[in-house]
Amino acid sequence: MQRSRGFRSRSRNKMTKVSRPGRSNPITRKIQKFNNDDLVHIIIDPSIHRGQPHPRFHGKTAKVIGYKGNAYVLALNDGNKAKELIVRPEHLKPQE
């Protein structure tokens, strides 16, 4: 039998969340707004599955280049290759 190599495979520590008292998903993360050319950090919230980028992009910084529905289109370099990601705002954090 072939082993599973799904979207979240080999990401046990990266895709787990420390349980803390209080609200686990604050609504302010979902309704935050970004403008074009803003820099954002991709921090995946494992409790929200919709709009997650691939785990390889966790911790990277990207630039907002547009909107697509409720999500943002981000541009970043993965090695030497330019990539575009479609990520919901729950998985983004503004860069100060």
Side-chain angles (χ1 to χ4, degrees), residues 41-61:
H41 300 298
I42 302 170
I43 308 296
I44 297 174
D45 186 353
S47 62
I48 302 171
H49 295 181
R50 291 192 64 144
Q52 276 188 2
H54 193 273
R56 90 165 61 97
F57 300 112
H58 181 80
K60 304 266 191 208
T61 302

Side-chain angles (χ1 to χ4, degrees), residues 12-84:
R12 180 189 300 271
N13 291 327
K14 192 180 286 187
M15 303 301 263
T16 54
K17 197 172 186 181
V18 178
S19 63
R20 296 179 61 190
R23 185 179 294 158
S24 62
N25 297 323
I27 191 73
T28 54
R29 299 270 311 277
K30 189 171 191 131
I31 62 172
Q32 61 186 343
K33 301 287 183 200
F34 300 106
N35 297 318
N36 285 352
D37 297 328
D38 281 354
L39 290 175
V40 292
H41 300 298
I42 302 170
I43 308 296
I44 297 174
D45 186 353
S47 62
I48 302 171
H49 295 181
R50 291 192 64 144
Q52 276 188 2
H54 193 273
R56 90 165 61 97
F57 300 112
H58 181 80
K60 304 266 191 208
T61 302
K63 182 192 260 188
V64 176
I65 59 170
Y67 313 99
K68 197 163 200 172
N70 294 330
Y72 291 96
V73 181
L74 308 178
L76 75 142
N77 287 334
D78 189 21
N80 289 334
K81 192 164 199 172
K83 299 218 172 162
E84 287 187 1

